[in-house]
Amino acid sequence: MTSRPAGAASGPDSPAGPPNPRRAEILGAAAELFARRGYHGASIGDLGRAVGLTGPALYRHFSGKEAVLAEMLLDISERLLAEGVRRAAAPDPGRALDALLRWHIAFALDNPALITVHERELDNVPEPQRHRIRRLQRAYVEEWVAVLCRLSPGLPDDRTRAAVHACFGLLNSTPRSATGLGREAMGDLLHTMARSALESAAHRPGSAS
């Protein structure tokens, strides 16, 4: 899913019509390149070579390296929020939490390079897009907060947000540092740990478990 902010200007960085497979290929290659070398360690020429294009040919798709990074991180944030909204809408909060966990765990396992770039390179995105990305991130967190508050009405919002951010730290970082487990086993382990931690956090301090 790749959408543009309302009112965005037309041009190489705001395509109209159906998704462009070539742009998607460039974004995927850029994620791997930026995760491996860092944003400043990869040139537009490096990116072009990774997808079989010259630098000038790549400019037909993006106006520059900043535009590639901005679209990549906007896309991540929009995808996370859209699916988060859908899953958080489950009537039963326990099932909603389970659905959110399954979604985020699958995303983390399947997209380690994207998550690395998202964590390290956001400050290199131009301010207007960076502002939008942060708003999308906050909205995604609030979907989780709302589900936890349904599980435990009256839980302080600041405690709940802290728990959600801690959960994201676990889910986003562990797949990149742990070895020896297959994808399914790692997914099950992350789900068990994260669900237990969030349910524990959803009990107000001093309340019976």
Side-chain angles (χ1 to χ4, degrees):
M1 168 187 141
T2 304
S3 61
R4 308 258 55 83
S10 61
D13 300 324
S14 50
N20 184 322
R22 192 57 157 163
R23 288 173 69 87
E25 180 187 9
I26 293 167
L27 291 171
E32 296 293 336
L33 197 60
F34 294 166
R36 188 169 66 252
R37 299 189 189 178
Y39 174 77
H40 293 295
S43 69
I44 201 74
D46 294 329
L47 179 53
R49 284 188 290 275
V51 293
L53 293 173
T54 64
L58 194 142
Y59 285 118
R60 292 201 297 268
H61 299 277
F62 293 95
S63 62
K65 196 169 66 166
E66 276 189 346
V68 173
L69 180 64
E71 178 159 333
M72 182 193 306
L73 298 189
L74 275 169
D75 181 55
I76 297 168
S77 301
E78 290 171 347
R79 287 163 58 192
L80 286 168
L81 177 57
E83 189 63 19
V85 167
R86 188 181 75 81
R87 292 178 179 241
D92 177 76
R95 291 190 177 185
L97 179 59
D98 184 70
L100 285 170
L101 284 167
R102 292 293 183 192
W103 156 242
H104 197 103
I105 289 167
F107 189 92
L109 291 172
D110 292 342
N111 299 280
L114 283 173
I115 288 178
T116 296
V117 176
H118 196 268
E119 291 177 348
R120 294 180 183 172
E121 308 295 354
L122 181 58
D123 287 345
N124 292 307
V125 174
E127 195 281 331
Q129 293 97 326
R130 186 168 67 249
H131 179 69
R132 176 169 170 77
I133 289 165
R134 291 197 185 281
R135 284 195 293 111
L136 290 164
Q137 289 175 331
R138 289 193 294 270
Y140 182 55
V141 169
E142 290 308 307
E143 292 297 324
W144 288 68
V145 169
V147 168
L148 287 178
C149 287
R150 287 163 57 200
L151 277 172
S152 182
L155 190 71
D157 285 357
D158 55 352
R159 175 183 170 88
T160 311
R161 288 191 189 91
V164 171
H165 282 292
C167 176
F168 288 172
L170 167 69
L171 300 183
N172 291 342
S173 64
T174 304
R176 288 177 285 155
S177 58
T179 59
L181 287 181
R183 186 187 187 284
E184 184 175 354
M186 176 60 77
D188 288 343
L189 176 62
L190 288 172
H191 184 274
T192 299
M193 294 177 66
R195 173 121 196 183
S196 177
L198 287 172
E199 287 180 338
S200 177
H203 290 289
R204 282 170 287 182
S207 66
S209 58

